[in-house]
Amino acid sequence: NAGVTQTPKFQVLKTGQSMTLQCAQDMNHNSMYWYRQDPGMGLRLIYYSASEGTTDKGEVPNGYNVSRLNKREFSLRLESAAPSQTSVYFCASSEAIKYRRDEQYFGPGTRLTVT
Amino acid sequence: AQSVTQLDSQVPVFEEAPVELRCNYSSSVSVYLFWYVQYPNQGLQLLLKYLSGSTLVKGINGFEAEFNKSQTSFHLRKPSVHISDTAEYFCAVSDRGRFITQGGSEKLVFGKGTKLTVNP
């Protein structure tokens, strides 16, 4: 049981390049999330998916797109990377059954540098 | 909308000393509260959560937190810390009502984090 996995672990991009961050969970969770973590800013929600087939914007969605490929996988795409997107990106998932509150399980993160 | 304030960005303590990491929140609705820990170069893991019931919540690794509704606080405490507790700690809040009506997908709002350094 691997939990939440993310690829790649590290990535360096030049300004204007595109890339997709991959996330997969094997816990049969309904909801998945993408966060970015910047020094002194805590974690900020980029996008989330309440269930397969749905996605919604979080606090900082500009410059990103997401795809909930199936129940297991939730990808984050940077179409034209900018230095302001240099950050550590975390994917998370939760069971999120109605009337229950379940914790979010986090992946190990992807450290992205845009030069 | 909710917000979370962690009052200390860094807390240095000596091993075996007690520690308190402070968290205040702001919300116009009822909330759920969480503390997460992040060890160096790792993801976040849940320490403890307050959903309802007793206001004193016990978590993993000997940590506990107390929900104080009148002071809108959820401070984290440990009576005796170890070197291995060195990490960054995040307080988070979610909207209780939104979760129930939307049928899922809690949206967590995180504080900016407190770096706990335990020195020998």
Side-chain angles (χ1 to χ4, degrees):
Chain A
N1 193 344
V4 179
T5 57
Q6 292 183 236
T7 54
K9 286 188 166 47
F10 301 94
Q11 184 71 48
V12 178
L13 291 178
K14 292 189 190 313
T15 297
Q17 287 184 317
S18 63
M19 79 161 295
T20 299
L21 281 64
Q22 306 287 355
C23 173
Q25 52 90 9
D26 62 1
M27 296 173 283
N28 201 35
H29 284 171
N30 296 314
S31 298
M32 298 184 74
Y33 314 81
W34 276 106
Y35 293 91
R36 61 177 289 172
Q37 183 181 30
D38 302 293
M41 298 293 291
L43 275 80
R44 292 180 291 170
L45 183 64
I46 304 171
Y47 271 93
Y48 69 101
S49 169
S51 59
E52 188 178 351
T54 68
T55 61
D56 283 288
K57 294 178 181 179
E59 183 185 352
V60 288
N62 291 344
Y64 305 95
N65 285 302
V66 290
S67 295
R68 183 74 182 266
L69 305 168
N70 48 53
K71 192 170 185 180
R72 288 188 64 247
E73 298 171 287
F74 188 39
S75 62
L76 178 72
R77 183 160 178 83
L78 286 70
E79 291 290 353
S80 179
S84 60
Q85 294 177 304
T86 293
S87 188
V88 181
Y89 291 85
F90 287 101
C91 178
S93 71
S94 68
E95 192 168 13
I97 296 174
K98 196 172 182 179
Y99 300 119
R100 275 183 57 187
R101 180 63 87 200
D102 292 286
E103 67 177 278
Q104 290 187 18
Y105 293 81
F106 285 80
T110 294
R111 191 173 296 272
L112 175 67
T113 302
V114 183
T115 61
Chain B
Q2 292 83 39
S3 67
V4 176
T5 302
Q6 292 184 241
L7 296 153
D8 305 294
S9 59
Q10 298 192 54
V11 173
V13 295
F14 288 109
E15 195 173 18
E16 298 182 8
V19 71
E20 179 180 81
L21 306 184
R22 297 180 293 166
C23 171
N24 285 93
Y25 69 91
S26 172
S27 177
S28 57
V29 299
S30 295
V31 296
Y32 295 114
L33 293 155
F34 305 81
W35 274 100
Y36 282 83
V37 60
Q38 183 181 32
Y39 298 105
N41 299 313
Q42 294 187 27
L44 279 72
Q45 66 180 87
L46 184 72
L47 265 183
L48 49 79
K49 59 188 176 186
Y50 171 78
L51 305 183
S52 64
S54 173
T55 57
L56 183 63
V57 180
K58 293 191 186 297
I60 62 172
N61 300 340
F63 283 93
E64 63 181 33
E66 186 154 21
F67 170 55
N68 188 320
K69 188 174 181 180
S70 62
Q71 297 190 4
T72 61
S73 68
F74 191 53
H75 300 333
L76 181 71
R77 301 186 183 99
K78 186 169 182 178
S80 176
V81 294
H82 300 124
I83 300 280
S84 59
D85 292 322
T86 294
E88 191 159 16
Y89 293 78
F90 293 94
C91 183
V93 64
S94 65
D95 179 347
R96 186 178 203 163
R98 177 187 293 270
F99 178 87
I100 291 173
T101 56
Q102 286 189 340
S105 189
E106 64 187 38
K107 287 172 66 176
L108 290 175
V109 174
F110 285 86
K112 294 183 178 181
T114 298
K115 287 187 179 174
L116 174 66
T117 303
V118 182
N119 298 303

